[in-house]
Amino acid sequence: MTATARRAPGRTDRHYLMCEPVHYTVSYEINPWMDKTRYTDVELALRQWRTLRDTYLDLGHTVELIDPLPGLPDMVYAANGATVVGGVVYSAKFRYPERQPEGPAYQKWFADRGYVTHTAAQINEGEGDILVVGDLVLAGTGFRTDRAAHAEAQELFGRPVISLELVDPHYYHLDTALAVISSDPASPQVAYYPPAFSAGSRAVLDQLFPDAIHATASDAAALGLNAVSDGENVVVAPGARDLAAALRERGYTPIPVDTSELLKGGGGAKCCTLEIRA
């Protein structure tokens, strides 16, 4: 199903895939944010998710929906389901058994709509660990995605893939530790939390993005780097106040959207948003 976008003049059009959190709960623990003993308010999660979706529509973006499947509470984190570059879909191959059925479900959605799909041979968790920045692909490893998947993605997409080592289990996916603010090849921009990366990876990021925004510990703890940018507007967690201020200073418009209930599963706005790049 496709939701009709309400166009806003002058905005950069993006194409997103999302999954409504109908079956959302925390029934297992595979990252430090998850606690099975905490109450999960599904209705609140649904309201927050719908606000996020409506925010994209109000900005003029296109949102498509994949049907949520029973027994897959983390399917709401659509960004983990695949990586799409140039209309080519690299399927996810999840590390944990609890999430493994999500990869084929997302791949089928794309295949049914005529996309060229590639079934991953290597363990990777989609845009959770594979982020496009201009002509480059940044790829995280250390907790979920195997480094061998970086080479697989490079061969598939034909773009240089830069491997980055994650070292803090709270920031287990690259998109929890780094946000792509601008993908313009002429002026790529990222924000990231330096302590989430190994020393070598911090040095690489410093060389590639000397003007990057360095998020504070409070930004990171609010999962503020799990943000979605269209190059002008940045949907960000309300608690990431330092990051929002830094974005304003750079000429971007931060848009706070509360996804606190979805944070109980370890995800925010970006986790819920898979970008379809034609």
Side-chain angles (χ1 to χ4, degrees), residues 96-110:
Y96 288 99
E98 292 91 341
R99 299 199 65 183
Q100 286 171 359
E102 294 178 42
Y106 276 94
Q107 185 173 4
K108 183 179 185 303
W109 186 92
F110 282 105

Side-chain angles (χ1 to χ4, degrees), residues 97-153:
E98 292 91 341
R99 299 199 65 183
Q100 286 171 359
E102 294 178 42
Y106 276 94
Q107 185 173 4
K108 183 179 185 303
W109 186 92
F110 282 105
D112 287 348
R113 285 153 184 80
Y115 287 87
V116 176
T117 69
H118 175 86
T119 303
Q122 307 298 331
I123 292 175
N124 80 90
E125 300 202 352
E127 281 196 328
D129 274 323
I130 303 174
L131 299 176
V132 177
V133 189
D135 296 326
L136 297 177
V137 176
L138 304 181
T141 191
F143 296 103
R144 297 293 187 86
T145 294
D146 286 349
R147 191 177 290 267
H150 300 179
E152 188 174 28

Side-chain angles (χ1 to χ4, degrees), residues 14-84:
R14 299 296 173 105
H15 187 184
Y16 298 134
L17 178 61
M18 300 181 72
C19 182
E20 196 168 21
V22 174
H23 306 295
Y24 174 69
T25 188
V26 178
S27 57
Y28 49 80
E29 298 173 3
I30 59 174
N31 68 58
W33 303 89
M34 303 177 90
D35 181 350
K36 294 187 297 184
T37 67
R38 293 179 69 192
Y39 171 68
T40 305
D41 188 335
V42 180
E43 289 304 315
L44 177 57
L46 282 164
R47 289 196 299 273
Q48 291 180 346
W49 180 92
R50 288 166 182 160
T51 298
L52 177 63
R53 176 202 59 197
D54 290 347
T55 299
Y56 296 144
L57 296 176
D58 288 339
L59 289 171
H61 304 313
T62 298
V63 177
E64 294 200 72
L65 304 179
I66 183 172
D67 291 334
L69 300 178
L72 297 178
D74 282 349
M75 198 170 168
V76 62
Y77 303 125
N80 304 159
T83 308
V84 188

